[in-house]
């Protein structure tokens, strides 16, 4: 099982894991909001991206693609 803070995840992480800072920056979230979602849903980039899509939150465009 994977440990995230005091939370123990019961299933393996799908896809690559986000760091908390990477997740917060991608979706322009406060650190507190990002940490809440990160602890509740885990670090899986796949699951967090699906969650944010369901919330209709669009990721920030990477600077290199915006040029």
């Amino acid at each position: 099982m994977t440990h995230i803070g005091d939370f123990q995840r019961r299933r393996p992480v799908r896809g690559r894991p986000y760091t908390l800072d990477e997740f917060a920056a991608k979706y322009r979230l406060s650190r507190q909001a990002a940490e809440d979602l990160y602890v509740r849903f885990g670090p899986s980039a796949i699951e967090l991206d699906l969650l944010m899509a369901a919330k209709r939150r669009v990721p920030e465009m990477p600077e290199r693609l915006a040029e």
Side-chain angles (χ1 to χ4, degrees), residues 4 7 9 11-27 29 32-59:
I4 304 167
F7 177 78
R9 190 160 173 83
R11 60 181 188 228
V13 173
R14 293 176 19 190
R16 75 169 189 83
Y18 277 135
T19 65
L20 183 57
D21 293 331
E22 181 183 19
F23 175 57
K26 182 173 182 176
Y27 290 101
L29 299 169
Q32 184 178 5
E35 187 172 2
D36 178 55
L37 294 172
Y38 197 88
V39 168
R40 288 178 23 204
F41 296 97
S44 168
I46 292 171
E47 291 181 19
L48 290 171
D49 287 342
L50 287 171
L51 173 70
M52 298 311 283
K55 291 176 165 261
R56 299 183 191 272
R57 295 291 301 261
V58 179

